[in-house]
Amino acid sequence: MNDTRTLRQPVVVDFASTAFARIKPVAVTAVTLSGAFWGPRFATNIEQTLPSQWDLLESTNRLNNFRRVVGEHDGPFEGLFFNDSDLYKWLEAASWVVARGPNALLEQRIDEGITLIERAQGEDGYIDTYFSVERKDERWTNLRDLHEMYVGGHLIQAAVAHHRATGQRRLLNIAIRFADMLCGRFGSASDGKIEAIDGHEEIEMALIELARETGQAKYLELARFFIKTRGQGLLKGGRFGDAYFQDDVPFDQMESLAGHAVRALYMACGITDLYLETGEEDLLPRLETLWDRLTAHRMYITGGVGSRHDGEAIGADFELPNAQAYTETCAAIGSMMWCHRMLAATGDARYADLFEWTLYNGMLPGWSLDGRGYYYVNPLEDDGGHGRQPWYYCACCPPNVARTIASLPGYVYGTDEHAIYVHLYAESDAQVPLGERVIGLRQRTRYPWDGAVEIQVDGEGEFALKLRVPGWFDSSASLTKAVDESGEAASTGAARTLPKVIVNGKPFDAKLDANGYLEIRRQWQEGDQVQLDLPMTVRVWQSHPKVPENRGRVALSRGPVLYCVERADMPGTDLDELYIDPADIEVEWQPEQLGGVVRLKAASQKRAIESSWGGALYLPLGANAHKGQSEPTTIIAIPYFAWHNRESGPMKVWLNYRGE
Amino acid sequence: MNDTRTLRQPVVVDFASTAFARIKPVAVTAVTLSGAFWGPRFATNIEQTLPSQWDLLESTNRLNNFRRVVGEHDGPFEGLFFNDSDLYKWLEAASWVVARGPNALLEQRIDEGITLIERAQGEDGYIDTYFSVERKDERWTNLRDLHEMYVGGHLIQAAVAHHRATGQRRLLNIAIRFADMLCGRFGSASDGKIEAIDGHEEIEMALIELARETGQAKYLELARFFIKTRGQGLLKGGRFGDAYFQDDVPFDQMESLAGHAVRALYMACGITDLYLETGEEDLLPRLETLWDRLTAHRMYITGGVGSRHDGEAIGADFELPNAQAYTETCAAIGSMMWCHRMLAATGDARYADLFEWTLYNGMLPGWSLDGRGYYYVNPLEDDGGHGRQPWYYCACCPPNVARTIASLPGYVYGTDEHAIYVHLYAESDAQVPLGERVIGLRQRTRYPWDGAVEIQVDGEGEFALKLRVPGWFDSSASLTKAVDESGEAASTGAARTLPKVIVNGKPFDAKLDANGYLEIRRQWQEGDQVQLDLPMTVRVWQSHPKVPENRGRVALSRGPVLYCVERADMPGTDLDELYIDPADIEVEWQPEQLGGVVRLKAASQKRAIESSWGGALYLPLGANAHKGQSEPTTIIAIPYFAWHNRESGPMKVWLNYRGE
């Protein structure tokens, strides 16, 4: 490997040499986020989130679990059996940070973390501190439940990120030793190996990234083996059955993503990676069908996935309860990771649409504005009892947020041979390699609060700048692609309204390409100015009538941001008594509120419940003909991602509406 | 003990000598159910359910688990650690049957079962086959999770039932040895005993029944100890926290029933039993408050309780999802057992109301018409995948249904010093002891299909016949008592409409007593004829607006029977597309359908979903202004208890309604 190359190209996922990627990534370090929205958040991740998480890794004995392997800590193993992965995700996050420039604190922590891992690794390459002292004999005896490969997968991802970010091989070598041991042990019985899979997917995408990073096909082959071996009931069910692990049916016969949400989505990431490397027939159509069905039947309007606390499961079609939504933060991240890979595989802007929507509305709610609180579960309605926590006994989500935010610059742009793709709108400065050239892109925008985007292009020659037309821009389109009754993606046929493009002060007749990007193909000059105008009007969403809780309700969004109401803005009000008038909504910029947000003010009626119901649970129709007083009032809505950052209190995304 | 007395008085729960019971029970054997509804069901329980369940106890190695204790079976312990309780519940059910008259098969099985238990019991009285061979050292080491006292409680209940039913002491002596061992081991530390409780309530009510049966106060005292010791976190949580076991807060501070539904309801039964024996101040008001809040905030319209698969839990106020309802059959039975005890404690007809409603709509759906299929989970809406099973790995529900049906005659009547109470309307013949007299009651009715009830009273002298005015009879009343915002029962103040009573052909001006019974106090003569007319009109129910899934929906009932629609009656129809017109409903007796049912036919509109939604999950309001065709059609509704007895297919209790 050429360390210099990897040092120059720290990409989140490396599709650079994959034959089947239509859009390649731009390096994390090639883009600097700034502006009022992402600037402070990016800094908060570095200054608050990562240092405090390291302290928690220490104080919860996650680091001591490594020290006890070499006799430097006396107590028992503490916490959950897969807690090593929290350190690994933290290292991945911190690596993306130090790739951007010096950070003495994080560099020192990274070094300390790697040293702990290095010393705890066995001579055979094995590393999992739960099994490294008193449970040595239990290694590999319960792949279904005990996550050894899941933990190892996060080690590999951390190692690849660290190598890309710093050019250093120290952690990579640890991961290679571990992966080589896996390759020697697991695989086809005809090769004398053990045919087994891990209960929690993760190793698949990790091994494929390791193959990309090292050029060693054996890691891709092992990932392929794990993927092809899944779905045959090898794990033998357990409390939630084979579907929990996606082990009930082989991928090529899978009808819908189901079971444990994070596992299902991580599986989908690994299989998309497999397609990207091999171009294997049938994989991509199946992935597209599963994505279409997931987003048309089993996705919250937040982009979140996972309807059931029971088994942390995706749930059945249209099973989307609000207060009882599970929608784990890690599942939102899993969906974003999958979207990123599907975007690479197809070039289709709808994957970037959902990436963006889930970033703002699925993942960001899981992270408090101060950078030190997290949701594991993200309900769309709450009575006030659900607050963010500084950490969890099962703390998979906090460092997963950290690594996603730290690598976010790497998701903004993409390239193919002749074009630069603008996937995300965000104030930023970038140096984008395009063939032999490097094109400077200076993006200025108040997005997500305003859809006016100015991009200064600093480069010469002919190429296309491709601007994503966000899904939210089309005022009559469904949130995600519609799927017909057979489960196939339905064709809408309608012509899309296009936003205005101005180049150097003059209207430019940009065409929409087949993938949903506006193409500006021209001869560029240093300092060319592109203006894109994406007017943000308030969208009022309704749910498919088969979603039981959302009948007679609407949700509000503006631009890529979904809204909610919470009691902090309406003291003393029972949110269930509010009925919104969606025709009368005002938009207000509130610079002092919640770090600066656009909030919405909607006319509404307040209809007293208790005076008409008198405390009964079931009443004969008509028995409460006098429906209690109704009085005009105003609903204040704030971005859903910002909820519960002021005080505890009821919150709702879906609001009563009785005007149909 | 006087075995002759107990042989003559096999009551389900024996309040005969309790000081605080306002209504005493009438013996199971004093009443014979007949008629088209209960006659065949009672026979099915004896001829199909109990014999087939015995065969399953055998074929699933539940009986072999007893044999292996004495070396007569070689294999390992099989099944769940609390499987012994399935045999015990079966013995309780079979005992109620043989109390009614000879049944050679069941008598032989009972004898075989008792012999197995007798031989497996240790010299110290210990019996639990999970812990009787290789796990002897683990006895009492995990009271939180491993149900030793729960299993023992069912042993005691079976023994008490068997003794009452047959006068034989063989099983009772086994239970006494077990209970004596408990008394020696558990209790106050100041008495040198172990302060501990079981994770699953059951032992409390069992011990109190044993105290009633034996006259030994020590069993009552131990039950009281377990009740008073609960709620202090002794069990130390686990995955679902202390609330799962009702161990988070002491009973005298409990605000609402919560946690695992069956445990919570069994706890409530035990505490009501404690009140009935001790009259302890504060217990009854708290029990009444908990009942009011449960039924006003956390009860399905079926009477079922338990909203969450996760932790089999009751759920939060107004959390009542339909397809995801858990509503375990055992929880319905637990609620009925609690209602029976609350009725004894207060005399209030509303407890008999809910007993009846839950019998028809909460428990009966858990039992197939052929007597060989059971639901563990009873959703109020299903896509067709949820079918009854002949047995379960965790088979608590099937024998629980069997014992409830077998003892049902014991719930029909009650007495106090001067009155006979008719709690349930059902064709039947009874010999009811009242003081020194025995009064014959010959009840003729087509209930639950028709509310005309004729009762021939064969007895002499003055007493009151008290006829329950069912809650469903009042066309404007809520299904259960309303609770105001502070959680206290709300007073309605409205005068109730009363049904007509005719005695010997002449109108009788029966007054409603304070407890909801119509009182016919007079000098009776042999052969007096009482006619009660309870016209059954169709009720159209709406839910409190805070129940998220039921907005814009209604449910239908007639008499004590709740209705549902299932696709078997409307082939090819998407039930979600139906919108009922509740003003236009016909009633039809269908003698050949489902064992004979009244079905309902309602005018409705069918509104095509797909043509207006085009497969989208979220659409902007107004984007689908053309709502697709709407065409008139007819909804057929059948009793909810009879669903899924013809073919698999979608089912719904709550129907769309858009006429408000």
Side-chain angles (χ1 to χ4, degrees):
Chain A
M1 292 301 294
N2 179 337
D3 275 343
T4 312
R5 185 195 72 84
T6 59
L7 191 57
R8 277 195 295 111
Q9 291 280 355
V11 289
V12 188
V13 185
D14 190 356
F15 307 129
S17 57
T18 72
F20 298 90
R22 299 179 58 169
I23 301 182
K24 311 269 166 147
V26 169
V28 174
T29 50
V31 182
T32 301
L33 293 171
S34 54
F37 194 88
W38 285 112
R41 282 174 172 79
F42 202 75
T44 295
N45 192 44
I46 297 170
E47 291 157 18
Q48 300 295 329
T49 301
L50 283 168
S52 63
Q53 286 188 358
W54 178 270
D55 292 344
L56 284 156
L57 292 172
E58 187 67 90
S59 63
T60 60
N61 289 305
R62 280 163 166 82
L63 303 182
N64 279 333
N65 286 338
F66 284 87
R67 293 187 187 110
R68 70 190 285 275
V69 177
V70 288
E72 291 179 359
H73 177 74
D74 269 346
F77 179 92
E78 289 206 19
L80 279 166
F81 48 91
F82 54 88
N83 272 0
D84 291 1
S85 62
D86 298 329
L87 170 62
Y88 300 151
K89 277 189 268 192
W90 186 93
L91 284 170
E92 185 178 342
S95 295
W96 296 128
V97 173
V98 301
R100 310 187 67 82
N103 183 313
L105 177 76
L106 293 185
E107 281 162 16
Q108 186 267 321
R109 301 296 194 225
I110 290 171
D111 189 62
E112 186 177 348
I114 295 175
T115 302
L116 288 175
I117 300 164
E118 204 164 46
R119 297 180 62 202
Q121 186 170 39
E123 298 213 347
D124 60 352
Y126 187 91
I127 169 92
D128 186 330
T129 67
Y130 182 74
F131 291 102
S132 290
V133 183
E134 64 277 62
R135 294 186 194 84
K136 281 185 178 168
D137 293 344
E138 296 169 42
R139 289 177 185 177
W140 310 122
T141 58
N142 186 354
L143 284 169
R144 184 183 83 182
D145 300 323
L146 296 179
H147 290 19
E148 280 161 289
M149 290 190 206
Y150 165 88
V151 172
H154 278 296
L155 168 64
I156 293 169
Q157 284 188 321
V160 167
H162 184 252
H163 183 241
R164 285 186 191 150
T166 66
Q168 295 170 19
R169 293 189 63 91
R170 216 172 134 212
L171 190 56
L172 186 65
N173 287 337
I174 295 170
I176 287 172
R177 282 196 294 274
F178 176 82
D180 287 347
M181 178 211 48
L182 281 192
C183 288
R185 187 173 192 96
F186 296 99
S188 171
S190 61
D191 297 335
K193 296 179 182 176
I194 299 165
E195 300 205 341
I197 58 173
D198 194 89
H200 196 315
E201 297 92 328
E202 156 69 20
I203 189 71
E204 301 81 0
M205 63 176 143
L207 283 170
I208 295 176
E209 277 284 86
L210 187 62
R212 290 171 178 144
E213 196 64 12
T214 61
Q216 295 288 318
K218 64 181 176 180
Y219 305 128
L220 173 65
E221 276 315 301
L222 183 58
R224 190 173 181 281
F225 168 80
F226 288 139
I227 288 167
K228 298 292 178 181
T229 305
R230 203 167 205 93
Q232 299 167 23
L234 270 188
L235 295 171
K236 298 201 192 309
R239 183 165 125 69
F240 297 111
D242 291 338
Y244 174 74
F245 315 96
Q246 299 74 47
D247 194 31
D248 53 333
V249 58
F251 179 72
D252 58 10
Q253 296 160 40
M254 198 172 274
E255 295 289 329
S256 290
L257 280 195
H260 187 279
V262 176
R263 296 174 203 232
L265 289 160
Y266 281 21
M267 175 195 74
C269 289
I271 296 175
T272 312
D273 274 330
L274 181 64
Y275 165 77
L276 283 162
E277 295 308 310
T278 66
E280 211 168 308
E281 235 180 289
D282 300 337
L283 287 181
L284 189 60
R286 176 74 52 179
L287 286 162
E288 289 177 312
T289 298
L290 291 175
W291 193 90
D292 289 342
R293 292 181 185 171
L294 181 76
T295 58
H297 298 145
R298 302 182 174 185
M299 188 190 80
Y300 282 91
I301 196 166
T302 60
V305 174
S307 306
R308 296 184 188 168
H309 282 247
D310 198 44
E312 307 187 306
I314 290 178
D317 287 355
F318 305 113
E319 179 190 337
L320 297 162
N322 293 311
Q324 288 300 310
Y326 199 70
T327 43
E328 185 181 336
T329 304
C330 283
I333 292 168
S335 175
M336 290 163 65
M337 295 196 303
W338 188 24
C339 285
H340 181 62
R341 286 159 176 77
M342 290 297 282
L343 177 62
T346 65
D348 195 328
R350 66 197 175 112
Y351 298 107
D353 282 348
L354 188 65
F355 181 97
E356 176 187 68
W357 191 268
T358 308
L359 168 65
Y360 284 105
N361 308 310
M363 187 199 83
L364 218 45
W367 190 40
S368 66
L369 294 180
D370 69 4
R372 289 168 171 258
Y374 311 91
Y375 279 138
Y376 189 108
V377 166
N378 293 277
L380 282 76
E381 181 165 333
D382 189 58
D383 64 4
H386 188 65
R388 290 186 190 80
Q389 295 180 30
W391 197 242
Y392 287 87
Y393 185 68
C394 171
C396 49
C397 300
N400 223 356
V401 170
R403 68 174 179 154
T404 306
I405 298 291
S407 60
L408 193 60
Y411 295 101
V412 176
Y413 295 104
T415 59
D416 64 18
E417 221 172 317
H418 307 294
I420 298 173
Y421 292 81
V422 185
H423 298 313
L424 299 180
Y425 298 106
E427 183 137 319
S428 56
D429 293 87
Q431 294 293 316
V432 177
L434 185 69
E436 299 301 308
R437 291 169 292 184
V438 173
I439 311 296
L441 293 174
R442 179 180 165 84
Q443 203 184 142
R444 288 295 171 270
T445 179
R446 292 185 61 246
Y447 203 94
W449 307 126
D450 190 302
V453 180
E454 294 182 14
I455 302 174
Q456 177 174 311
V457 181
D458 290 312
E460 303 279 343
E462 187 183 335
F463 61 90
L465 184 69
K466 294 206 176 201
L467 306 173
R468 181 174 63 95
V469 181
W472 59 257
F473 175 73
D474 188 343
S475 64
S476 64
S478 66
L479 185 62
T480 55
K481 197 165 177 179
V483 169
D484 69 18
E485 279 185 82
S486 69
E488 297 307 309
S491 144
T492 59
R496 285 183 74 174
T497 312
L498 295 182
K500 285 187 197 139
V501 174
I502 291 170
V503 178
N504 295 332
K506 293 178 191 160
F508 187 93
D509 182 22
K511 294 287 185 296
L512 194 68
D513 76 4
N515 284 326
Y517 288 81
L518 271 181
E519 183 173 318
I520 309 176
R521 183 176 298 277
R522 62 191 290 279
Q523 288 285 342
W524 297 92
Q525 304 277 331
E526 288 283 336
D528 279 341
Q529 300 287 336
V530 175
Q531 287 167 272
L532 172 71
D533 191 21
L534 298 165
M536 290 182 172
T537 55
V538 176
R539 299 261 177 275
V540 182
W541 298 98
Q542 55 181 331
S543 275
H544 192 286
K546 282 183 184 282
V547 180
E549 291 200 3
N550 295 346
R551 277 184 300 256
R553 287 181 156 190
V554 294
L556 307 178
S557 70
R558 183 176 174 279
V561 176
L562 182 72
Y563 280 74
C564 70
V565 297
E566 63 172 355
R567 186 132 85 191
D569 291 305
M570 285 163 286
T573 302
D574 179 347
L575 304 183
D576 293 326
E577 297 190 337
L578 299 175
Y579 288 77
I580 193 172
D581 175 1
D584 187 3
I585 302 178
E586 284 174 44
V587 173
E588 277 188 350
W589 169 242
Q590 294 280 316
E592 305 301 321
Q593 282 261 11
L594 296 162
V597 294
V598 165
R599 70 178 196 181
L600 307 180
K601 290 174 77 168
S604 72
Q605 291 288 314
K606 186 171 182 301
R607 299 185 193 165
I609 291 175
E610 282 312 318
S611 61
S612 62
W613 272 80
L617 183 55
Y618 303 109
L619 271 184
L621 195 64
N624 56 341
H626 301 293
K627 296 199 156 298
Q629 306 112 332
S630 178
E631 55 184 79
T633 185
T634 301
I635 285 177
I636 308 283
I638 61 158
Y640 172 65
F641 68 69
W643 82 283
H644 208 287
N645 274 288
R646 293 173 295 187
E647 60 182 50
S648 290
M651 179 280 296
K652 289 166 86 93
V653 168
W654 287 98
L655 310 173
N656 297 326
Y657 156 68
R658 280 309 229 324
E660 207 171 355
Chain B
M1 292 300 294
N2 178 338
D3 275 345
T4 312
R5 184 196 76 80
T6 58
L7 189 56
R8 278 194 295 111
Q9 291 280 356
V11 290
V12 187
V13 185
D14 190 356
F15 308 129
S17 57
T18 72
F20 298 91
R22 300 179 58 169
I23 301 182
K24 311 269 165 145
V26 169
V28 175
T29 51
V31 183
T32 302
L33 293 170
S34 53
F37 194 88
W38 286 112
R41 283 175 171 79
F42 203 74
T44 295
N45 192 43
I46 298 170
E47 291 158 18
Q48 301 295 330
T49 301
L50 283 167
S52 63
Q53 287 188 357
W54 178 272
D55 293 344
L56 284 156
L57 292 171
E58 188 64 91
S59 63
T60 61
N61 289 305
R62 279 160 166 85
L63 302 182
N64 280 334
N65 285 339
F66 285 87
R67 293 187 187 108
R68 69 190 285 274
V69 176
V70 289
E72 291 178 359
H73 177 75
D74 270 346
F77 178 93
E78 290 207 17
L80 279 166
F81 48 91
F82 54 87
N83 273 359
D84 290 0
S85 61
D86 298 329
L87 170 62
Y88 300 150
K89 278 189 267 191
W90 186 93
L91 284 170
E92 185 177 341
S95 295
W96 297 127
V97 172
V98 301
R100 311 186 66 82
N103 183 316
L105 178 75
L106 293 185
E107 281 162 17
Q108 186 267 321
R109 301 294 194 228
I110 290 171
D111 190 63
E112 187 177 347
I114 294 175
T115 302
L116 287 175
I117 300 163
E118 205 164 45
R119 299 179 62 202
Q121 186 170 39
E123 297 211 347
D124 60 353
Y126 187 90
I127 168 94
D128 185 330
T129 67
Y130 182 74
F131 291 102
S132 290
V133 182
E134 64 277 61
R135 295 187 193 85
K136 282 184 177 168
D137 293 345
E138 296 170 41
R139 289 177 185 177
W140 310 123
T141 57
N142 186 354
L143 284 169
R144 185 182 83 182
D145 301 323
L146 295 179
H147 290 19
E148 279 161 290
M149 291 191 206
Y150 165 88
V151 172
H154 278 296
L155 168 65
I156 293 170
Q157 284 187 321
V160 166
H162 184 252
H163 183 239
R164 284 185 192 151
T166 66
Q168 295 170 21
R169 293 187 63 90
R170 218 173 133 211
L171 190 56
L172 186 66
N173 288 337
I174 295 170
I176 287 172
R177 283 196 294 274
F178 177 82
D180 287 347
M181 177 211 50
L182 280 192
C183 288
R185 187 174 192 97
F186 296 100
S188 170
S190 60
D191 298 334
K193 296 178 181 175
I194 299 164
E195 300 204 342
I197 57 172
D198 195 89
H200 196 315
E201 296 92 329
E202 157 68 22
I203 190 71
E204 301 81 2
M205 63 176 143
L207 283 169
I208 296 177
E209 276 284 86
L210 187 63
R212 290 172 180 145
E213 195 65 11
T214 61
Q216 296 287 319
K218 65 180 175 181
Y219 305 129
L220 174 64
E221 276 315 301
L222 183 57
R224 188 172 181 283
F225 168 80
F226 288 140
I227 288 167
K228 298 291 178 181
T229 306
R230 203 169 204 90
Q232 299 167 21
L234 271 188
L235 295 171
K236 299 202 192 306
R239 182 163 126 67
F240 297 111
D242 291 336
Y244 175 73
F245 315 96
Q246 299 73 49
D247 195 30
D248 53 334
V249 60
F251 179 72
D252 58 11
Q253 296 161 39
M254 198 173 274
E255 296 289 329
S256 290
L257 280 195
H260 187 279
V262 176
R263 295 174 203 234
L265 289 160
Y266 281 21
M267 174 195 75
C269 289
I271 296 175
T272 312
D273 274 330
L274 180 64
Y275 165 78
L276 282 162
E277 294 308 310
T278 66
E280 211 167 306
E281 240 181 284
D282 300 338
L283 286 182
L284 189 59
R286 177 73 52 178
L287 286 162
E288 289 177 313
T289 297
L290 292 175
W291 194 89
D292 290 341
R293 291 182 185 170
L294 181 76
T295 58
H297 298 145
R298 299 181 176 187
M299 189 190 80
Y300 282 92
I301 195 165
T302 59
V305 173
S307 306
R308 296 183 188 167
H309 283 247
D310 199 45
E312 307 188 306
I314 289 178
D317 286 355
F318 305 112
E319 180 189 336
L320 297 161
N322 293 310
Q324 287 300 311
Y326 199 70
T327 45
E328 185 181 336
T329 304
C330 283
I333 292 169
S335 175
M336 290 164 65
M337 297 196 302
W338 187 24
C339 285
H340 181 61
R341 287 160 174 78
M342 291 298 283
L343 177 62
T346 65
D348 195 329
R350 66 197 174 113
Y351 299 108
D353 282 349
L354 188 64
F355 181 97
E356 177 188 67
W357 191 269
T358 308
L359 169 64
Y360 285 104
N361 309 310
M363 187 198 83
L364 219 45
W367 191 39
S368 66
L369 294 180
D370 69 4
R372 289 168 171 259
Y374 311 92
Y375 279 137
Y376 189 109
V377 166
N378 292 275
L380 282 77
E381 182 166 330
D382 189 58
D383 64 4
H386 188 64
R388 290 185 191 81
Q389 297 181 30
W391 197 244
Y392 287 87
Y393 185 68
C394 172
C396 49
C397 299
N400 223 355
V401 170
R403 67 173 181 154
T404 306
I405 298 291
S407 61
L408 193 60
Y411 295 100
V412 177
Y413 295 105
T415 60
D416 63 19
E417 222 172 315
H418 307 294
I420 299 174
Y421 292 80
V422 185
H423 298 314
L424 299 180
Y425 298 106
E427 182 138 316
S428 57
D429 294 85
Q431 295 292 317
V432 178
L434 185 69
E436 299 301 308
R437 292 168 292 185
V438 173
I439 311 298
L441 293 174
R442 180 181 164 83
Q443 203 184 144
R444 289 297 172 268
T445 178
R446 291 185 63 244
Y447 202 94
W449 307 126
D450 190 302
V453 180
E454 294 182 15
I455 302 174
Q456 177 175 310
V457 180
D458 290 314
E460 304 278 342
E462 187 184 336
F463 61 89
L465 185 69
K466 294 207 176 199
L467 307 173
R468 181 173 63 94
V469 181
W472 59 257
F473 176 72
D474 190 342
S475 64
S476 64
S478 65
L479 185 63
T480 55
K481 198 165 175 177
V483 169
D484 69 19
E485 279 185 84
S486 70
E488 298 305 311
S491 143
T492 60
R496 284 183 75 176
T497 312
L498 296 182
K500 284 187 196 137
V501 174
I502 290 170
V503 178
N504 295 331
K506 292 178 192 162
F508 186 94
D509 183 22
K511 295 284 187 294
L512 193 69
D513 76 6
N515 284 325
Y517 288 80
L518 271 181
E519 182 172 319
I520 309 176
R521 183 176 297 278
R522 62 190 292 278
Q523 289 285 341
W524 296 91
Q525 305 275 331
E526 291 282 335
D528 279 343
Q529 300 288 337
V530 174
Q531 288 168 272
L532 171 71
D533 191 23
L534 299 164
M536 290 181 171
T537 55
V538 176
R539 299 261 177 275
V540 182
W541 298 98
Q542 54 181 332
S543 277
H544 192 287
K546 282 183 185 280
V547 179
E549 290 199 5
N550 295 346
R551 278 183 301 255
R553 286 180 158 192
V554 293
L556 308 177
S557 70
R558 184 176 172 277
V561 176
L562 182 72
Y563 280 74
C564 70
V565 297
E566 63 173 355
R567 186 134 83 191
D569 292 306
M570 284 163 286
T573 302
D574 179 347
L575 304 183
D576 292 327
E577 297 191 338
L578 299 176
Y579 288 76
I580 193 172
D581 175 1
D584 187 2
I585 301 177
E586 282 173 48
V587 173
E588 275 188 349
W589 170 242
Q590 294 280 316
E592 305 301 322
Q593 281 261 13
L594 296 161
V597 295
V598 165
R599 69 178 198 182
L600 308 179
K601 290 174 75 170
S604 72
Q605 290 287 316
K606 186 171 182 302
R607 299 186 193 164
I609 292 174
E610 283 312 318
S611 61
S612 61
W613 272 81
L617 183 54
Y618 303 108
L619 271 184
L621 195 64
N624 56 341
H626 301 292
K627 294 197 158 298
Q629 306 111 335
S630 177
E631 55 183 81
T633 184
T634 301
I635 285 177
I636 307 283
I638 61 157
Y640 171 64
F641 67 69
W643 82 282
H644 208 286
N645 273 287
R646 293 173 295 187
E647 60 181 54
S648 290
M651 179 279 297
K652 289 167 85 95
V653 168
W654 287 97
L655 311 173
N656 297 327
Y657 156 69
R658 281 308 230 328
E660 207 173 355

